[in-house]
DNA sequence: GTGAAAGCGCTAACAA
DNA sequence: TTGTTAGCGCTTTCAC
């Protein structure tokens, strides 16, 4: 089996990768011709095309992208800046982005800020220095200043999931306000009036939008807000657990709760189980963002589904359009949500 | 508020980024000096150091990495090839990788193959052409040939999570066999003898190792294997659901089941709920890989925890070592697992 | 301690 | 149709 040790197939001449000059020499043509053939330009005779391809094959030639990028003053890389790579919501956006971006011949350079402004700044600088063709970012803060350096369009940038007030950047977001409004209205229809919110960090637009939807649903139903029912965290699981604990410690606790993102929903459920309560008999739960595990829970989770794939798709398309025409007017796409009703919400009956 | 429209701060001279030549002119020195100062070499007089820094600041100069990479014939990028970006297991590896790699001044270029060999081949070629300093890969197939082109060390490559037989590449894996052995032994200790396995795709080393652990635990306890209890899928949720359905349709169904990865565990739970069965009274469940949601399930999930962070950490360190010394002997790191006992497994009592 | 100059591998004018 | 050549922006000898 292990008869031939080293580099079995492939060219094993020395070790370094072949350059265009070697291919040119091998084929007996100029480097210009090699370049033309391999980048698919026409205007080269059939004979030479053959010779070049043959030479490239023999030498296992792969054009050096770094050199090409330097010469062309443009790369084939799209940077994606994600605020929490551990959150399946963000990774599911990638599917849509990948589809569009790869179809156009780009590669994704993915970075993860962990909701840390410093890391975000650093990565943005790196991506610019790396000369990426464009950036798709889920910004970790709502301050326009942090991103206005990109408004000149030198490096096209698209905001995804989170909007930034007054920014002139293209953006794709979800109508969080409406989504939460629908969900809370659903709870109200089931008879709930004591509804808690496990909200997100206010500096992020989705969090404030979701809070707005919650308030709107309450006020529209004529329910007075109990400020104690409004707890918030940082979109991570642990903070959802803590926020829900605070709600459950209340003298008169809510009969229903909405958790403002997927990870905080997990924390919320954990807290409810810790307190030995039953869903939906003791308390109804709606989650924002419908994740893979929602159907595996018992009871299965009623949740606001976000069109994650479409979100990524739109962002990718917007970026491609922006790269093609840097002068076009900024575009904002807002996608709708859909309430998936499963088994975690019940009518108010007891207590 | 919106008084000054365009590029508020920063240098707004023209639009293109400043080059080293401009900085040199501005500071009244040569480009060589600028380069020396900005890359932190000593041997430059204090006066010039000051002048260069000042000039760079004024022009908002960011060295062009593409040019630097071409000149140095090396990039500051590490490519990571992941087989399923939607699977939290893989994204949690990234944490550890990031920590090491960023500490050493590299940036992660992340790609996602979706367990597709063609995509994997394409990305590997792209990363090589992009001149990455190294690659960390969770290979989507067990065939050595696909990766032996990297055994010459021209582009250092580290295998993570999945091993490849006979490969001379460095690798970091988990002792899956032992992990499953422990878990199944736990079930046997609880009195179970009819134990099902929702296994993974055989071409992946972790899947065959896990199956081996299952078989070993059974045989060591003197339990004869019922081949019908051995079902498998492709590590995705849907296939876990289908595999579990097949187990539940059996005339004599298992009283306990082990699901071979996190996503298939979700599918397994879904199937059990669909059939109206209760965990652990009707059936006990152990999952391989302990995920964020494990504690939010009801009952909470007994699972084999993998040291994901350490896995990433080791892979990062191994890569750094390999980059520094391409000649060193291949190293294989195997990390242990830990069985987290929660509430999804019970003693065999009924039926 | 500093600068001049060569050149990394490629592409795109411009010539022929 | 093909080749010659001038850089892209940077780093790094090699002189001074």
């Amino acid at each position: 089996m292990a008869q031939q040790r080293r580099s079995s197939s492939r060219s094993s001449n020395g070790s370094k990768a072949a350059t265009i000059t070697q291919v040119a020499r091998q084929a007996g043509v100029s480097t210009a011709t090699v370049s033309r053939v391999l980048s698919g330009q026409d205007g080269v005779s059939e004979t030479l095309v053959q010779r070049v391809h043959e030479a490239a094959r023999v030498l296992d030639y792969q054009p050096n992208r770094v050199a090409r990028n330097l010469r062309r003053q443009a790369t084939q890389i799209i940077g994606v800046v994600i605020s929490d790579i551990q959150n399946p919501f963000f990774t599911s956006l990638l599917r849509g982005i990948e589809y569009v971006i790869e179809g156009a011949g780009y590669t994704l350079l993915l970075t993860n800020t962990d909701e840390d402004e410093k890391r975000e700044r650093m990565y943005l600088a790196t991506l610019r220095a790396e000369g990426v063709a464009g950036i798709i970012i889920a910004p970790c803060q709502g301050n326009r200043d942090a991103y206005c350096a990109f408004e000149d369009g030198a490096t096209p940038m698209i905001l995804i999931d989170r909007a930034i007030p007054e920014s002139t950047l293209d953006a794709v977001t979800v109508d969080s306000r409406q989504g939460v409004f629908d969900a809370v209205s659903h709870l109200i229809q089931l008879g709930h009036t004591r509804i808690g919110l496990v909200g997100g960090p206010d500096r992020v637009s989705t969090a404030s939008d979701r809070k707005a939807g919650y308030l709107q649903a309450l006020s529209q139903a004529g329910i007075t807000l109990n400020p104690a029912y409004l707890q918030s965290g940082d979109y991570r699981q642990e903070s959802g657990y803590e926020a829900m604990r605070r709600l459950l410690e209340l003298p008169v606790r809510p009969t229903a709760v909405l958790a403002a993102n997927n990870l905080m929903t997990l924390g919320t459920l954990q807290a409810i189980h810790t307190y030995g309560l039953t869903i939906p008999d003791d308390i109804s739960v709606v989650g924002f963002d419908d994740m893979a595990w929602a159907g595996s829970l018992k009871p299965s989770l009623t949740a606001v589904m976000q069109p994650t794939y479409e979100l990524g798709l739109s962002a990718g398309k917007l970026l491609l359009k922006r790269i093609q025409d840097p002068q076009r007017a900024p575009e904002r796409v807002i996608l709708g949500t859909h309430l998936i009703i499963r088994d975690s919400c019940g009518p108010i009956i007891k207590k």
Side-chain angles (χ1 to χ4, degrees), chain A:
Chain A
M1 276 191 181
Q3 39 200 49
Q4 279 272 18
R5 257 319 162 65
R6 63 209 64 239
S7 51
S8 13
S9 59
R10 312 286 165 139
S11 69
S12 35
N13 54 341
S15 61
K16 289 270 110 189
T19 72
I20 199 172
T21 317
Q22 291 170 41
V23 177
R25 187 157 35 221
Q26 171 90 14
V29 298
S30 72
T31 59
T33 299
V34 175
S35 176
R36 286 186 194 111
V37 171
L38 295 179
S39 57
Q41 295 175 44
D42 40 28
V44 181
S45 70
E46 192 53 35
T47 342
L48 292 196
V49 169
Q50 291 305 330
R51 291 232 302 270
V52 168
H53 276 137
E54 174 59 13
R57 204 189 52 70
V58 169
L59 297 172
D60 189 24
Y61 173 67
Q62 282 267 14
N64 179 324
R65 287 209 180 200
V66 178
R68 165 185 295 178
N69 292 340
L70 178 60
R71 174 62 231 231
R72 287 207 187 144
Q73 293 291 79
T75 67
Q76 289 291 99
I77 298 183
I78 300 291
V80 177
V81 182
I82 274 187
S83 41
D84 181 4
I85 191 101
Q86 292 267 60
N87 186 330
F89 168 73
F90 290 112
T91 53
S92 67
L93 297 181
L94 289 176
R95 278 278 148 70
I97 297 177
E98 267 175 356
Y99 179 79
V100 180
I101 256 39
E102 286 174 9
Y106 292 94
T107 308
L108 287 192
L109 173 47
L110 192 53
T111 63
N112 170 39
T113 64
D114 259 341
E115 306 279 5
D116 178 339
E117 300 177 18
K118 241 187 302 191
R119 283 174 59 106
E120 186 178 272
R121 235 186 339 264
M122 181 199 79
Y123 273 125
L124 250 20
T126 305
L127 289 175
R128 266 222 295 187
E130 210 70 64
V132 295
I135 294 175
I136 296 178
I137 183 173
C140 71
Q141 54 165 319
N143 187 347
R144 180 181 167 198
D145 294 351
Y147 314 99
C148 66
F150 290 86
E151 290 183 5
D152 66 358
T155 302
M157 177 183 272
I158 312 288
L159 305 173
I160 190 167
D161 180 49
R162 301 167 175 186
I164 296 185
E166 309 199 11
S167 171
T168 63
L169 296 169
D170 300 294
V172 188
T173 54
V174 145
D175 192 346
S176 284
R177 210 208 77 267
Q178 182 69 46
V180 171
F181 178 85
D182 293 347
V184 174
S185 299
H186 172 66
L187 292 171
I188 294 172
Q189 234 147 35
L190 288 170
H192 295 276
T193 54
R194 308 205 314 260
I195 301 172
L197 175 72
V198 173
D202 274 333
R203 68 173 193 291
V204 174
S205 71
T206 53
S208 49
D209 288 352
R210 286 168 204 181
K211 193 205 280 184
Y214 167 82
L215 296 174
Q216 188 191 344
L218 252 46
S219 88
Q220 186 158 319
I223 299 172
T224 356
L225 169 73
N226 179 345
Y229 286 174
L230 224 162
Q231 296 291 337
S232 50
D234 63 2
Y235 271 168
R236 303 242 175 81
Q237 186 165 353
E238 179 62 22
S239 74
Y241 179 82
E242 292 303 336
M244 190 65 210
R245 266 183 47 126
R246 290 195 294 272
L247 288 175
L248 293 176
E249 290 287 353
L250 256 26
V252 182
R253 60 185 175 211
T255 60
V257 64
L258 181 136
N261 86 333
N262 51 5
L263 265 26
M264 293 204 307
T265 304
L266 290 180
T268 298
L269 294 174
Q270 229 175 333
I272 293 172
H273 297 155
T274 303
Y275 279 71
L277 300 176
T278 306
I279 302 171
D281 296 347
D282 297 321
I283 189 162
S284 290
V285 178
V286 186
F288 197 97
D289 198 17
D290 187 46
M291 288 287 104
W293 61 71
S296 302
L297 294 170
K298 180 145 195 182
S300 59
L301 186 75
T302 292
V304 179
M305 193 195 72
Q306 303 190 72
T308 53
Y309 187 77
E310 289 72 20
L311 221 47
L313 221 57
S314 297
K317 286 182 186 163
L318 237 42
L319 181 54
L320 255 27
K321 284 203 241 169
R322 169 72 49 206
I323 289 173
Q324 215 150 33
D325 175 13
Q327 303 307 329
R328 68 196 292 273
E331 190 172 339
R332 297 194 165 219
V333 177
I334 299 178
L335 302 176
T337 60
H338 186 58
L339 183 64
I340 312 270
I341 297 179
R342 296 203 187 85
D343 308 322
S344 64
C345 297
I348 178 136
I349 27 171
K350 29 188 325 187
K351 191 146 197 208

